[in-house]
Amino acid sequence: MNHNHRLESDIFESFKKGDQIAFTYFYDKYFKRIQSFSVQFIYDPDEAENLAQEAFLHLWQNRESVDSINGIQSFLYTYSKSKCLNLIRHNKVKDKFKNDLLNQKEKELNIEVLNSIEFDTLQLTELERIINESINDLPPKTREVFIKKRFENKKNAEIAEEMQVTLKAVEAHMTKALKILKTKLSDYLFLLFILICNN
């Protein structure tokens, strides 16, 4: 045991001096451990392998700052954990950006599709009449909330204050209004979405 410890101490000293064979010894000893450790964070074996390789490159570049044999393992684990957490944060930001971009593209596509449809005056007049009739058929308070929200562009808090009701009541009336209108205007659902249901 003591002999092995002395042997490893000699290898460590050679590693500190830039001996690549000594570096390979520690690489072979710890690589699988670091890769397995990283997989626990990012659940991607290939990415974990890349990250482990990066950790050892960083170790080699900073070998003079490692004070002991145990310091090698500590250095590798600390670096790997930091990189894993950074990768997780980066992916969360990237996913949010992708979702925001997708929503924007979807909205642009809806507008492009609407613009590509040619309506004559009679069709638009008929559509407007049907929508107005459907809105007028809503229960009085539900209709009032819907008009204030969609046509007067008022916020829920403003509507609640004006009508002396709670925010939850405003939200409930809007949900009810949209449900009724989507049922009555099922044949015009896409246009309804573009014209009055899109924020």
Side-chain angles (χ1 to χ4, degrees):
M1 187 71 176
N2 288 336
H3 173 72
N4 289 338
H5 182 70
R6 282 199 302 272
L7 179 62
E8 198 164 73
S9 293
D10 291 341
I11 295 173
F12 175 70
E13 290 304 322
S14 297
F15 161 73
K16 291 264 290 181
K17 293 174 183 174
D19 186 335
Q20 291 188 5
I21 295 176
F23 170 75
T24 301
Y25 170 83
F26 290 113
Y27 182 93
D28 291 339
K29 181 175 182 179
Y30 292 118
F31 184 84
K32 287 295 181 185
R33 298 186 199 179
I34 298 302
Q35 183 183 10
S36 298
F37 173 76
S38 299
V39 167
Q40 295 178 50
F41 285 87
I42 57 179
Y43 306 106
D44 184 337
D46 292 335
E47 189 66 41
E49 183 177 355
N50 292 336
L51 197 148
Q53 289 174 348
E54 186 180 333
F56 275 95
L57 176 62
H58 194 65
L59 171 68
W60 177 252
Q61 294 171 337
N62 294 273
R63 59 188 179 277
E64 294 179 0
S65 66
V66 182
D67 297 325
S68 66
I69 295 174
N70 290 336
I72 290 179
Q73 186 169 270
S74 175
F75 181 97
L76 291 169
Y77 277 114
T78 301
Y79 181 85
S80 298
K81 181 178 179 181
S82 175
K83 294 297 288 186
C84 283
L85 293 177
N86 286 341
L87 185 61
I88 291 169
R89 292 189 193 102
H90 172 73
N91 286 338
K92 282 184 178 178
V93 171
K94 188 167 67 174
D95 288 343
K96 183 182 184 305
F97 174 77
K98 281 163 63 178
N99 287 336
D100 290 345
L101 187 61
L102 182 62
N103 289 336
Q104 180 59 32
K105 289 294 181 186
E106 184 178 5
K107 186 177 286 188
E108 289 173 4
L109 179 62
N110 285 337
I111 293 171
E112 285 179 16
V113 171
L114 182 64
N115 288 338
S116 70
I117 301 173
E118 295 182 0
F119 296 102
D120 60 33
T121 305
L122 285 176
Q123 285 176 312
L124 288 174
T125 302
E126 178 65 10
L127 177 61
E128 186 180 358
R129 183 187 65 75
I130 293 169
I131 290 174
N132 285 335
E133 284 182 0
S134 299
I135 292 172
N136 288 333
D137 287 341
L138 291 172
K141 283 196 174 180
T142 301
R143 181 175 65 248
E144 186 179 356
V145 169
F146 183 83
I147 290 172
K148 286 179 183 294
K149 177 76 173 177
R150 294 303 181 188
F151 296 105
E152 298 176 15
N153 295 316
K154 292 185 176 177
K155 295 181 179 178
N156 288 357
E158 292 179 285
I159 299 170
E161 186 176 351
E162 285 182 13
M163 297 182 64
Q164 309 240 311
V165 295
T166 64
L167 277 173
K168 289 201 171 197
V170 172
E171 291 168 2
H173 280 301
M174 278 303 299
T175 301
K176 184 178 181 180
L178 291 176
K179 186 175 180 181
I180 293 172
L181 290 175
K182 284 177 182 178
T183 300
K184 288 192 172 185
L185 301 170
S186 57
D187 292 338
Y188 304 90
L189 191 55
F190 176 75
L191 293 174
L192 175 67
F193 173 76
I194 296 294
L195 295 174
I196 62 175
C197 292
N198 197 18
N199 286 322

